[in-house]
Amino acid sequence: MSGAVANGIPEPDGAGQAGADGPGMRPPTRRYDYVTDGQEIYRRSFAMIRERADLSGLPADLEVVATRLIHAAGDTDIVSRIAASPDVVEAAREALAGGAPIFTDSVMLASGITRRRLPGDNEIVCTLRDPRVPGLAAAWGTTRAAAAVSLWGPRLDGAVVAIGNAPTALFHLLEVVLDGGPRPAAIVGMPVGFVGSAESKEALAGHRLADGSQVPWITVHGHRGGSAMAASTVNALATASELA
Amino acid sequence: MSGAVANGIPEPDGAGQAGADGPGMRPPTRRYDYVTDGQEIYRRSFAMIRERADLSGLPADLEVVATRLIHAAGDTDIVSRIAASPDVVEAAREALAGGAPIFTDSVMLASGITRRRLPGDNEIVCTLRDPRVPGLAAAWGTTRAAAAVSLWGPRLDGAVVAIGNAPTALFHLLEVVLDGGPRPAAIVGMPVGFVGSAESKEALAGHRLADGSQVPWITVHGHRGGSAMAASTVNALATASELA
């Protein structure tokens, strides 16, 4: 099985090698001093983040999102780059509780969303590998990531969108919405990189629909971002718990 | 289909909504000025990275890895944290060309590895969701991510390992190797976070096998790291091309 993520388990080879599979499986000799309880690691991590990061400039309902973003980035400095519309946490949480689907611009981001945190058995959809994408991208003169956004179709209405990779996907999404297309419940816009990333986030923060309103949004301004940060934001919007 | 990443395509609903699927599908009105050619975006990105980042302190064969790490992080400052054994690029490239499997500590990292860059149709294996993992973790008093490493078994010998999430997986891997277990060809050790992450990378950089040698390794010191950086490193080790 190649070209796919396998939960492939090596077969026991009977050689009795250390670390080999089989009934005699045993842990290696403990040589380092480290915390081995998963929930305790989470607890200590979030305690350290709250100790080190200055969250005072953030609205109360963004604190959990900010701590998870810092956790994903491994960097308290990221907090100064977080910006959001005032209604994004409430809007995303309500949509997810109601079973809204989550659209992502990359499979990696989709993989980072923790299913058991989702309140409404929400479907996670990434259309990047849809067979129609290369043809649409060529016909429209845009990237595959942008063309893939148009395949979300009317289900985009009321959905939660997370973009962690392609600035062109975020620009294209805004163009779909500004054309009077389906209106998502919330946009997590965190593409990463040096070409268009910062600009696409400014476009997100500055967009206005015909009635003067905005689609609720959250971003991390500048070049940084990525699938891990976008996924951690969705995980924080899905449920406020700071555990795994 | 819920609880899984779907390449789910919305059905046409015949409502003729903007952005909806169907034969009349059209792109939205272009409202922003952005580059829409994927390979041109890559070209410009890497040109900007080479212009902004100081790569002079790095061995020549690490330059491609460093530019891809910067690209994944959206941050030129990451370069000062990169450390590696002198043989890691050659060792990993040779192993991958020979068809070595790639073991990862998270499904997200596995998803971020670009299949078409892999030279040997290499299998990508993540055992985190193996049904034996929770029991082993409980019995051994360790995390699931660490227990999952032991399931790699003898196939770990000569493999490329990438860790982007759990410091405990990296500690456990080193303990398996130091016990005289299977010896991987190379370790990409980039767990993220505030509890154990920096320490596990120091352990990686400082480990010594019984014969005084090291398993070839590469890391990003400190709290930062993550699946995106680890995947980008594997992608750079797989082939030196700077395109997608």
Side-chain angles (χ1 to χ4, degrees):
Chain A
M1 178 177 179
S2 68
V5 179
N7 279 318
I9 306 306
E11 291 298 317
D13 68 350
Q17 231 173 324
D21 198 356
M25 210 170 170
R26 56 184 194 280
T29 314
R30 183 68 58 88
R31 295 169 190 267
Y32 301 101
D33 181 25
Y34 55 101
V35 188
T36 54
D37 179 280
Q39 296 300 344
E40 175 65 12
I41 293 170
Y42 265 90
R43 202 196 56 74
R44 289 198 198 184
S45 294
F46 286 108
M48 286 175 79
I49 289 168
R50 288 185 175 277
E51 197 179 290
R52 296 177 181 206
D54 179 10
L55 304 176
S56 61
L58 293 173
D61 70 351
L62 270 184
E63 274 189 28
V64 169
V65 179
T67 53
R68 289 201 85 91
L69 267 169
I70 291 166
H71 184 253
D75 185 3
T76 53
D77 291 347
I78 206 76
V79 71
S80 64
R81 299 161 179 251
I82 299 172
S85 65
D87 49 352
V88 68
V89 175
E90 193 184 343
R93 204 156 276 165
E94 194 177 301
L96 292 173
I102 301 166
F103 290 99
T104 73
D105 71 327
S106 78
V107 175
M108 193 180 187
L109 197 169
S111 302
I113 297 171
T114 306
R115 270 72 186 164
R116 70 176 176 284
R117 295 181 69 92
L118 298 175
D121 201 19
N122 312 262
E123 188 178 3
I124 302 168
V125 181
C126 177
T127 50
L128 188 61
R129 295 180 185 167
D130 184 276
R132 290 169 297 175
V133 163
L136 281 179
W140 295 353
T142 193
T143 65
R144 283 175 293 176
V149 168
S150 277
L151 291 179
W152 298 345
R155 289 188 70 205
L156 177 57
D157 205 73
V160 171
V161 177
I163 292 175
N165 186 44
T168 56
L170 182 50
F171 278 127
H172 191 97
L173 171 67
L174 290 172
E175 290 168 340
V176 166
V177 171
L178 291 170
D179 263 5
R183 180 177 172 148
I187 300 172
V188 176
M190 303 185 180
V192 64
F194 295 89
V195 176
S197 166
E199 294 83 353
S200 70
K201 295 162 185 173
E202 282 162 26
L204 174 65
H207 83 279
R208 290 282 163 197
L209 304 183
D211 64 0
S213 69
Q214 292 195 306
V215 175
W217 56 273
I218 180 166
T219 193
V220 169
H221 277 303
H223 301 302
R224 290 175 65 184
S227 296
M229 287 196 224
S232 72
T233 303
V234 173
N235 290 335
L237 293 170
T239 159
S241 162
E242 283 190 351
L243 295 180
Chain B
M1 179 176 178
S2 69
V5 180
N7 280 320
I9 307 305
E11 291 298 317
D13 68 350
Q17 232 174 322
D21 199 355
M25 209 168 170
R26 56 183 195 281
T29 313
R30 183 68 58 87
R31 294 167 191 267
Y32 301 102
D33 181 26
Y34 55 100
V35 188
T36 54
D37 179 280
Q39 296 301 342
E40 175 65 12
I41 293 169
Y42 265 89
R43 202 196 58 73
R44 290 197 197 184
S45 294
F46 285 107
M48 286 175 80
I49 289 168
R50 289 186 174 277
E51 196 179 289
R52 296 177 181 205
D54 179 10
L55 305 177
S56 61
L58 293 173
D61 70 351
L62 269 184
E63 274 188 27
V64 168
V65 179
T67 53
R68 289 202 85 91
L69 266 170
I70 291 167
H71 184 253
D75 186 2
T76 52
D77 292 347
I78 206 77
V79 71
S80 64
R81 299 161 179 251
I82 299 172
S85 65
D87 49 352
V88 68
V89 175
E90 193 184 343
R93 204 156 276 165
E94 192 177 303
L96 292 173
I102 301 166
F103 289 99
T104 72
D105 71 328
S106 78
V107 176
M108 194 180 186
L109 197 169
S111 302
I113 297 171
T114 306
R115 270 70 186 164
R116 69 176 177 284
R117 294 181 70 93
L118 299 175
D121 202 19
N122 312 261
E123 189 178 4
I124 303 168
V125 182
C126 177
T127 49
L128 188 62
R129 295 179 184 168
D130 184 277
R132 290 170 295 175
V133 163
L136 282 179
W140 295 353
T142 192
T143 65
R144 282 174 294 176
V149 167
S150 278
L151 291 179
W152 299 345
R155 288 188 71 204
L156 178 57
D157 205 73
V160 171
V161 176
I163 293 175
N165 188 45
T168 56
L170 182 51
F171 278 126
H172 191 97
L173 171 67
L174 290 171
E175 289 168 341
V176 166
V177 170
L178 292 170
D179 263 4
R183 178 176 174 151
I187 300 172
V188 176
M190 303 185 180
V192 64
F194 295 90
V195 176
S197 165
E199 295 83 353
S200 70
K201 295 164 185 172
E202 282 162 26
L204 175 65
H207 83 279
R208 291 281 163 196
L209 304 184
D211 64 2
S213 70
Q214 293 195 308
V215 175
W217 57 272
I218 180 165
T219 193
V220 169
H221 277 302
H223 301 303
R224 290 176 65 184
S227 296
M229 287 196 225
S232 72
T233 303
V234 173
N235 289 335
L237 293 171
T239 158
S241 162
E242 284 191 350
L243 296 180

